Amino acid sequence: MKRIQGVQYYTTAEVLRATGISRQTLWRWRKEGQVPQGHRFRSRGVLFSRRERDQIVSYANRIESPRTNHNQLTMDLPQRIQNP
Protein backbone atom coordinates (compact mmCIF):
# COMPACT_ATOMS: atom_id res chain seq x y z
CA MET A 1 0.00 0.00 0.00
CA LYS A 2 1.26 3.47 -0.88
CA ARG A 3 0.15 6.78 0.49
CA ILE A 4 0.49 9.63 -1.99
CA GLN A 5 -0.55 13.12 -0.95
CA GLY A 6 -2.65 11.65 1.84
CA VAL A 7 -4.51 9.19 -0.42
CA GLN A 8 -4.13 5.46 0.09
CA TYR A 9 -3.40 3.41 -3.05
CA TYR A 10 -2.95 -0.32 -3.59
CA THR A 11 -0.39 -1.87 -5.90
CA THR A 12 -1.39 -4.29 -8.61
CA ALA A 13 0.16 -7.15 -6.59
CA GLU A 14 -1.99 -6.23 -3.57
CA VAL A 15 -5.14 -6.17 -5.71
CA LEU A 16 -4.23 -9.56 -7.20
CA ARG A 17 -3.77 -11.03 -3.71
CA ALA A 18 -7.10 -9.59 -2.57
CA THR A 19 -8.96 -11.05 -5.54
CA GLY A 20 -7.09 -14.29 -6.19
CA ILE A 21 -6.99 -13.60 -9.93
CA SER A 22 -4.04 -13.52 -12.30
CA ARG A 23 -2.41 -10.37 -13.65
CA GLN A 24 -3.56 -11.39 -17.13
CA THR A 25 -7.19 -11.57 -15.98
CA LEU A 26 -7.00 -8.15 -14.33
CA TRP A 27 -5.51 -6.62 -17.48
CA ARG A 28 -8.17 -8.25 -19.65
CA TRP A 29 -10.96 -6.94 -17.39
CA ARG A 30 -9.40 -3.47 -17.51
CA LYS A 31 -9.18 -3.61 -21.32
CA GLU A 32 -12.82 -4.73 -21.57
CA GLY A 33 -13.92 -1.92 -19.22
CA GLN A 34 -15.24 -4.35 -16.60
CA VAL A 35 -13.16 -2.88 -13.77
CA PRO A 36 -11.49 0.51 -13.07
CA GLN A 37 -8.33 1.37 -14.98
CA GLY A 38 -6.38 2.55 -11.93
CA HIS A 39 -3.71 5.25 -12.06
CA ARG A 40 -0.26 5.16 -13.65
CA PHE A 41 2.44 5.93 -11.06
CA ARG A 42 5.76 7.37 -12.21
CA SER A 43 5.20 5.98 -15.71
CA ARG A 44 5.56 2.41 -14.46
CA GLY A 45 3.22 0.61 -12.13
CA VAL A 46 -0.53 0.93 -11.85
CA LEU A 47 -2.06 1.87 -8.52
CA PHE A 48 -5.68 1.55 -7.44
CA SER A 49 -7.58 3.63 -4.90
CA ARG A 50 -9.39 1.82 -2.11
CA ARG A 51 -12.70 2.32 -3.93
CA GLU A 52 -11.25 0.93 -7.17
CA ARG A 53 -9.74 -2.04 -5.33
CA ASP A 54 -13.09 -2.76 -3.68
CA GLN A 55 -14.84 -2.60 -7.09
CA ILE A 56 -12.36 -5.10 -8.53
CA VAL A 57 -12.75 -7.43 -5.54
CA SER A 58 -16.53 -7.21 -5.88
CA TYR A 59 -16.35 -7.97 -9.61
CA ALA A 60 -13.99 -10.90 -9.03
CA ASN A 61 -16.35 -12.38 -6.42
CA ARG A 62 -19.61 -11.85 -8.30
CA ILE A 63 -22.07 -14.68 -8.65
CA GLU A 64 -24.08 -14.92 -11.83
CA SER A 65 -27.04 -17.13 -12.54
CA PRO A 66 -26.60 -19.51 -15.46
CA ARG A 67 -28.14 -18.23 -18.64
CA THR A 68 -30.42 -20.54 -20.54
CA ASN A 69 -30.04 -20.49 -24.28
CA HIS A 70 -33.58 -19.72 -25.45
CA ASN A 71 -33.12 -21.49 -28.80
CA GLN A 72 -31.84 -24.66 -27.11
CA LEU A 73 -34.75 -24.60 -24.66
CA THR A 74 -37.23 -24.25 -27.54
CA MET A 75 -35.62 -27.12 -29.48
CA ASP A 76 -35.61 -29.41 -26.41
CA LEU A 77 -39.19 -28.64 -25.39
CA PRO A 78 -41.02 -31.18 -27.66
CA GLN A 79 -38.58 -33.87 -26.54
CA ARG A 80 -39.22 -33.04 -22.88
CA ILE A 81 -42.98 -33.21 -23.36
CA GLN A 82 -42.72 -36.69 -24.91
CA ASN A 83 -40.24 -37.97 -22.29
CA PRO A 84 -41.07 -36.25 -19.01
Side-chain angles (χ1 to χ4, degrees):
M1 197 170 8
K2 291 188 175 289
R3 190 170 288 281
I4 302 169
Q5 297 179 352
V7 179
Q8 185 175 331
Y9 289 95
Y10 295 84
T11 65
T12 300
E14 290 169 325
V15 171
L16 296 177
R17 277 194 298 277
T19 59
I21 62 172
S22 70
R23 185 176 297 270
Q24 187 176 18
T25 296
L26 177 59
W27 260 234
R28 185 179 74 248
W29 288 351
R30 287 176 67 223
K31 182 179 178 182
E32 294 171 353
Q34 303 297 321
V35 298
Q37 294 295 308
H39 308 273
R40 187 67 69 184
F41 179 64
R42 296 185 184 164
S43 301
R44 295 183 309 188
V46 176
L47 298 176
F48 299 90
S49 69
R50 179 180 201 99
R51 181 172 176 243
E52 291 169 331
R53 183 196 71 115
D54 292 346
Q55 288 174 333
I56 295 168
V57 169
S58 178
Y59 187 78
N61 293 320
R62 73 195 183 286
I63 297 176
E64 297 177 342
S65 61
R67 297 178 189 192
T68 305
N69 182 332
H70 179 70
N71 292 334
Q72 186 64 40
L73 183 62
T74 304
M75 289 176 8
D76 289 347
L77 191 56
Q79 198 173 42
R80 289 182 187 175
I81 292 173
Q82 291 174 2
N83 302 320

